Amino acid sequence: MDRLLRGEIPPGGCDVKALACEADVDRTAFYGTHPYSHLRLEFERRVQVLQDAGEIPDRREAQIIRLKAENSRLKDRLDQSEQRNDELSDFRTQALAQLAAQHEEMARLRETAAGTSGIRRLPTPRTTIIGSCS
């Protein structure tokens, strides 16, 4: 009984069946007026005390609880990631719209500048060399 309550549990869990298996006694000997019924009551009482204290002698049960908590934590992280992705997608859409508007404005200004007659082009510099420079 003490080994089971310490957590040295065989596959199958921490119950009367495991206790009977560990004691090498038929499980029915723990029920009714059989000789080991008081041990079953003591075992169940001690398991209940451990569970009330927050300790779970059954490693499988502890693993299930741990995995459920981890699953919940991962779902929260996934929700946060999806929210962040949505925010970034909205930002990207806004940035692209702003870039497109700026491009249109630049194109409009270039057309306006090209059509203005008050702008003169400067002559290109001469590239002919006359005489030696030495």
Side-chain angles (χ1 to χ4, degrees):
M1 182 184 314
D2 289 333
R3 276 186 290 159
L4 290 175
L5 295 174
R6 276 194 312 264
E8 299 174 21
I9 302 169
C14 185
D15 56 5
V16 176
K17 182 179 177 183
L19 179 63
C21 183
E22 285 293 307
D24 199 23
V25 176
D26 185 36
R27 186 173 54 167
T28 58
F30 288 98
Y31 293 97
T33 58
H34 289 62
Y36 300 116
S37 62
H38 68 286
L39 291 175
R40 177 184 54 87
L41 295 173
E42 173 67 15
F43 178 72
E44 289 173 348
R45 184 190 66 75
R46 288 175 65 182
V47 167
Q48 188 63 43
V49 167
L50 284 174
Q51 288 176 345
D52 291 343
E55 298 178 27
I56 302 172
D58 189 348
R59 282 184 265 158
R60 283 187 344 181
E61 287 296 320
Q63 183 181 23
I64 289 170
I65 291 170
R66 181 183 57 78
L67 290 174
K68 283 182 179 179
E70 184 179 356
N71 189 25
S72 175
R73 184 179 54 80
L74 290 173
K75 283 182 180 180
D76 290 343
R77 281 184 59 195
L78 179 63
D79 290 342
Q80 291 173 355
S81 294
E82 288 175 349
Q83 181 181 1
R84 181 71 177 147
N85 283 344
D86 290 342
E87 291 171 1
L88 292 173
S89 179
D90 291 343
F91 176 77
R92 179 178 172 258
T93 302
Q94 290 173 355
L96 287 174
Q98 188 176 7
L99 286 172
Q102 288 173 348
H103 178 72
E104 290 294 322
E105 179 67 14
M106 288 179 355
R108 186 187 65 78
L109 290 172
R110 283 185 184 129
E111 286 178 15
T112 303
T116 305
S117 62
I119 299 176
R120 286 189 176 176
R121 298 223 177 254
L122 296 174
T124 57
R126 291 186 195 179
T127 56
T128 311
I129 300 175
I130 302 173
S132 67
C133 293
S134 53

